[in-house]
Amino acid sequence: QVHLVESGGGLVQAGGSLRLSCAASGRSFSRYTMGWLRQAPGKEREFVASIRWSDGSTSYADSLKGRFTISRDNTKNTVYLQMNSLKPEDTAIYYCAARYITSENFGSWGQGTQVTVSS
């Protein structure tokens, strides 16, 4: 059973930074890709970034490249999302998710953490 717990959300002014954390437990994640997705009010959930646990290869939404960075700490079983130069349109609930190597979709989700960027 995969268990994901996000933390680090909050209120920040435009131009500021936040680092989200996702503590993962329940199994070995060497065959998983971990991702961050977000959902803004009234909008569909969208992909933010992902990282393959085995080799650290990353993928980003084109619109967020250069501002957001995903990383992982194998010793802590934790995935991070560093968010810089935040904009009001980054306001959303941010979810951590896990996708098994043979799956097309993220099958395990955290409860989400709220990020609010004020103008």
Side-chain angles (χ1 to χ4, degrees):
Q1 183 80 12
V2 174
H3 189 52
L4 306 173
V5 179
E6 303 98 331
S7 61
L11 174 64
V12 63
Q13 288 188 334
S17 298
L18 279 176
R19 189 178 77 159
L20 306 183
S21 299
C22 172
S25 61
R27 62 180 63 213
S28 169
F29 289 92
S30 61
R31 291 176 174 257
Y32 281 81
T33 291
M34 307 299 292
W36 287 97
L37 298 92
R38 68 185 185 182
Q39 187 165 20
K43 295 186 177 181
E44 293 186 355
R45 190 174 296 181
E46 64 175 351
F47 172 78
V48 173
S50 65
I51 185 166
R52 193 158 54 195
W53 203 284
S54 58
D55 61 7
S57 62
T58 59
S59 179
Y60 294 91
D62 288 342
S63 61
L64 300 176
K65 286 180 181 178
R67 293 197 299 124
F68 288 16
T69 303
I70 190 171
S71 61
R72 83 223 189 286
D73 184 332
N74 288 346
T75 64
K76 297 181 179 180
N77 257 20
T78 299
V79 177
Y80 303 99
L81 184 68
Q82 178 68 43
M83 305 184 294
N84 299 326
S85 302
L86 283 163
K87 304 175 182 180
E89 51 264 43
D90 294 318
T91 295
I93 299 174
Y94 283 72
Y95 296 91
C96 177
R99 182 179 74 222
Y100 189 66
I101 193 171
T102 58
S103 297
E104 293 185 358
N105 301 312
F106 289 100
S108 300
W109 296 81
Q111 82 287 353
T113 186
Q114 176 71 48
V115 171
T116 302
V117 184
S118 63
S119 57

